[in-house]
């Protein structure tokens, strides 16, 4: 997986003669020289001045960039002293700066989840009086933390807020943020928007002949070209990025470019060159104290060794990187790394190890999904609460109006009985109007909630139900009932690599249509995640279940999918089982049912793909016995402890991925 680290943008305006702004601009390529000059400049500033705080904030960030956490900690203590004893207007900004620098230290030290707390505290203190450079710095740090936790939507929002604070007269600062935003969109799978943003960043960098920003822009461009399957153009863009970095004297971007170059050669199957490029990047990364670049180089070196059938050398290197990412809560990077590891293990023929890694990756994806689900539920609840509070305010206003009207009628009652009667009638009318308004509001709230519920349970790409919908259905019944199918598209990564994510989306949409065409209206088809689909057929079993598996294989493989000029063959591996389990009619919980069809599906993959493997009989007295046999279903099958059926797909039509 290629990586990209944009230069941080933290100062909105480059003032005439502003030494700090000039130092920050130069520090992107040469942070060591900037630190020495910055410390000399600080010695001439008053201890409790706003400019000294600004310099301390910049110095702390540079110390982290240079891999000097102890020195950064010393800077943090100076900022904390200003927060305690500085001049009154300075204390709050110093408190915000201390919280953000503390979070940056936690992020660098491998504790992303813990970094969230001081950042949230800093954001609560920020208002229109906060210095713009400080506000923007915190937003950039916060966005980086959220992105690596896999919260791409939050990272985009924070980076967009930072962009709004940047003066348009400073193209290099806007270019840095636009580069970072483009990469976030890429990781979120929004390639069109990523290209638009990166083109804007590249144009700004070219206009000012800013080699550092151009190196960043060309790095992201190479990643996007690779995602679109244009490997030749991607290599050219990456080579230009390295050249721009060398022209700027930016050793960090050069090392990142070399590490990304190894990723390119891996995708091309040139494993020896990929290993060589990784080995060239490693000493540079270590000299620069860059954990990120070192991890990328080690990951690519390990994958190259695995691809060269040197698994015993390569796998420990990859595992070490993945363990570092796990300890740092880098959910998104860990999931990407596991996907790459499984792909290269499988390509090298290590099928059992690939199966294990695929399962690990699914567990990480489930973890990320649950976090996303929790965040969506919180946002939904906040939306509902806001609507409820507005509704209550409206009711209170109407109630107050009624009380005022009643008081006025009481005062008039002693003057004229006819007016009293008119007032009573008016009050009744107002009550009727209020009742109607309350009913309309409640209906609107119900409609909004129902719409939100539907949207939260629907996959936006295919229009199918999503995992959240299926989990809600599972919660309605403790045990699995019916026939469950788990379908995984074969070699889908190759489709994305050769035809880009847009081509992959075309395939996913067409697969969804074909599955729906085979199934009945009462059957449930779910996009389970990525290239996986889950199907629940109520009441099916035995021969009918096997016939449906054959129809599903035929529906996918017998007609090619048109992706641009290519007639692409699409096949799948399917695992399926009917519940309760035969022959004892043993009822199993949904979670175990999913694990069973998952295990059957992976047997279909190891047997050669483009086939379905179904569970006919699993003799077991209880769930513990089911779990023991499920732990290695293939061995249990070979020993005759379970009965499986293998259904081969039809002849493939079209070009294979």
């Amino acid at each position: 997986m290629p990586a990209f680290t944009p230069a941080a943008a933290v100062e909105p305006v480059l003032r005439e003669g502003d030494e700090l702004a000039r130092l920050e601009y130069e520090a992107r390529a040469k942070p060591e020289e900037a630190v020495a000059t910055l410390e000399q400049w600080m010695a001439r500033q008053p201890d409790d001045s706003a400019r000294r705080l600004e310099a301390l904030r910049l110095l702390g960030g540079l110390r982290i960039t240079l891999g000097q956490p102890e020195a950064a900690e010393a800077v943090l203590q100076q900022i904390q002293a200003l927060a305690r004893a500085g001049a009154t207007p300075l204390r709050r900004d110093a408190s915000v700066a201390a919280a953000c620098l503390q979070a940056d230290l936690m992020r660098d030290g491998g504790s992303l989840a813990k970094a969230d707390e001081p950042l949230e505290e800093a954001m609560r203190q920020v208002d229109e009086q906060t210095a713009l450079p400080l506000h923007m710095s915190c937003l950039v740090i916060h966005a980086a933390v959220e992105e690596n936790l896999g919260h791409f939507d939050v990272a985009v929002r924070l980076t967009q807020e930072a962009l709004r604070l940047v003066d348009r007269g400073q193209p290099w600062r806007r270019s840095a943020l636009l580069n970072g935003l483009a990469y976030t969109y890429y990781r979120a799978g929004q390639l069109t928007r990523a290209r638009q943003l990166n083109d804007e960043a590249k144009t700004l960098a070219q206009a000012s002949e800013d080699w550092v920003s151009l190196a960043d822009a060309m790095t992201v461009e190479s990643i996007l070209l690779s995602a679109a399957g244009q490997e030749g153009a991607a290599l050219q863009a990456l080579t230009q990025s390295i050249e721009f970095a060398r022209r700027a004297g930016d050793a960090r971007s050069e090392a990142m470019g070399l590490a990304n170059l190894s990723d390119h050669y891996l995708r091309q199957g040139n494993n020896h060159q990929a290993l060589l490029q990784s080995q060239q990047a490693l000493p540079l990364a270590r000299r620069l104290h860059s954990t990120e670049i070192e991890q990328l180089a080690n990951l690519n070196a390990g994958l190259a060794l695995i691809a060269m059938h040197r698994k015993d050398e390569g796998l420990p290197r990859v595992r070490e990187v993945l363990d570092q990412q796990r300890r740092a809560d880098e959910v998104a990077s860990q999931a990407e790394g596991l996907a790459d590891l499984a792909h290269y293990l499988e390509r090298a023929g290590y099928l059992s190890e690939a199966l294990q890694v695929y399962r690990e990756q699914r567990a990480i994806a489930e973890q990320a999904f649950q976090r996303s689900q929790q965040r969506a539920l919180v946002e939904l609840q906040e939306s509902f609460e806001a609507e409820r509070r507005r509704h209550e305010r409206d009711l209170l206003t109407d109630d107050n109006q009624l009380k005022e009207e009643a008081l006025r009628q009481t005062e008039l009652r002693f003057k004229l009985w006819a007016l009293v009667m008119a007032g009573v009638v008016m009050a009744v009318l107002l009550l009727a109007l209020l009742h109607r308004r309350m009913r309309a509001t409640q209906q609107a709230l119900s409609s909004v909630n129902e719409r939100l519920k539907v949207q939260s349970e629907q996959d936006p790409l295919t229009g199918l139900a999503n995992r959240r919908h299926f989990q809600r259905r599972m919660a309605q019944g403790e045990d699995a009932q019916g026939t469950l199918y788990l379908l995984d598209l074969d070699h889908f990564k190759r489709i994305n690599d050769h035809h880009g994510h847009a081509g992959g989306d075309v395939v996913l949409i067409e697969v969804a249509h074909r599955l729906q065409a085979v199934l009945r209206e009462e059957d449930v088809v779910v996009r389970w995640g990525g290239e996986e689909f889950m199907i629940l057929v109520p009441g099916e079993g035995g021969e009918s279940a096997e016939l449906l598996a054959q129809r599903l294989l035929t529906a996918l493989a017998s007609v090619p999918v048109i992706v641009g000029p290519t007639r692409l063959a699409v096949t799948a591996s399917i695992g399926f089982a009917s519940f309760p389990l035969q022959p004892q009619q043993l009822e199993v919980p949904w979670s175990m049912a999913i694990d069973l069809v998952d295990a059957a599906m992976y047997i279909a993959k190891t047997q050669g793909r483009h086939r379905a493997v179904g569970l006919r009989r699993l003799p077991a007295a209880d769930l513990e016995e089911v779990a023991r046999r499920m732990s290695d279903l293939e061995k249990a099958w070979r020993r005759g402890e379970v009965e499986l059926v293998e259904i081969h797909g039809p002849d493939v039509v079209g070009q294979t991925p």
Side-chain angles (χ1 to χ4, degrees), residues 566-577:
T566 306
R567 293 167 56 83
L568 191 63
V570 176
T571 63
S573 300
I574 302 175
F576 67 97

Side-chain angles (χ1 to χ4, degrees), residues 258-282 296-305 307-308 317 344 347:
L258 290 171
N260 281 334
L261 199 56
S262 69
D263 189 80
H264 166 80
Y265 287 119
L266 265 176
R267 289 193 304 274
Q268 296 298 101
N270 191 342
N271 303 314
H272 290 280
Q273 189 63 33
L275 182 60
L276 178 63
Q277 292 296 152
S278 297
Q279 291 170 336
Q280 288 181 6
L282 270 173
L296 178 62
N298 269 320
L299 179 69
N300 286 341
L303 294 175
L305 288 167
M308 295 161 65
R317 297 179 74 163
Y344 285 102
R347 198 163 76 174

